[in-house]
Amino acid sequence: TPAAAAAERVALLQVLGIALFCVKTLAYPLGFSYFDEFIDWRTASDILASHHLFSANSLLPISAAYPGLEIASSALASLTGLSLFHAGLIVLLAGRVLLVGSLYGFFAALSRSPYLAGLAVLGYMLNPHFVFFDAQFAYESLALPMGACVLWLVALGARGAPGKARVAPLGLAGLVLAALAVTHHITSYAVVGFLALWAL
């Protein structure tokens, strides 16, 4: 409804995003189950055991070269004593919240309409990968939220007045883009390509 407040709209989208994340988690509540999850679990386990990055991963060698998800998950597991599975779920859930919020912010900045932004995010959630593929413990599941966050921050910077209102979001976008570059190569290429087309 167009009458809903922006905060209510964001809250409802977050509730839906988290509920859809729980669909995959409830289907497999005791451990990782998808093929890609075992690949990234291996990389995270190596980081946790050796305290070093870039250990060889024979399941998918490139996985060890982009350890952003695994760094966050193994750090959380090390700090809290949680298993890698539970730490990974928390990191992925935080990524889901970031994805929904960033997409809403991006679409709201472009359309200047909370109503259209809400519809656009809802349309994105209809994508069949949103429920299972983007909720698995795999590097692109954290990279997509980061990519959406970069787009939102750049849109905020483009709309801001010259000065701090423009520099702060663009500087933060640069930091998130750097984190994205060590999380998933394909997503970082896509985001940079999108930003280059947008600039043109």
Side-chain angles (χ1 to χ4, degrees):
T1 173
E8 178 185 7
R9 205 177 299 280
V10 172
L12 290 172
L13 288 169
Q14 289 290 6
V15 167
L16 179 59
I18 292 168
L20 292 174
F21 178 82
C22 289
V23 169
K24 190 261 179 194
T25 306
L26 290 172
Y28 303 100
L30 301 178
F32 298 122
S33 57
Y34 293 169
F35 175 74
D36 283 349
E37 292 182 314
F38 293 124
I39 292 170
D40 292 290
W41 187 15
R42 165 68 191 273
T43 300
S45 296
D46 289 344
I47 292 171
L48 200 56
S50 69
H51 303 289
H52 290 92
L53 300 176
F54 312 119
S55 299
N57 186 336
S58 58
L59 296 173
L60 183 66
I62 200 166
S63 168
Y66 295 94
L69 171 68
E70 294 87 346
I71 290 169
S73 301
S74 60
L76 183 62
S78 181
L79 289 171
T80 62
L82 292 170
S83 68
L84 268 176
F85 172 67
H86 292 105
L89 285 181
I90 291 169
V91 170
L92 291 173
L93 182 59
R96 175 59 61 95
V97 170
L98 178 64
L99 176 63
V100 171
S102 295
L103 285 175
Y104 179 84
F106 176 66
F107 291 127
L110 291 184
S111 68
R112 299 177 191 252
S113 166
Y115 176 66
L116 290 178
L119 288 178
V121 176
L122 192 58
Y124 179 83
M125 288 183 186
L126 295 175
N127 142 28
H129 284 236
F130 188 74
V131 176
F132 289 102
F133 188 77
D134 293 344
Q136 67 178 329
F137 187 73
Y139 50 8
E140 65 273 4
S141 298
L142 185 59
L144 282 174
M146 289 178 170
C149 186
V150 168
L151 297 181
W152 173 43
L153 291 168
V154 169
L156 280 180
R159 283 190 57 199
K164 287 184 181 178
R166 185 170 287 182
V167 172
L170 294 177
L172 190 54
L175 291 174
V176 177
L177 193 56
L180 174 59
V182 298
T183 301
H184 189 226
H185 53 300
I186 302 298
T187 306
S188 63
Y189 301 157
V191 170
V192 169
F194 182 83
L195 292 175
L197 286 174
W198 191 3
L200 289 174

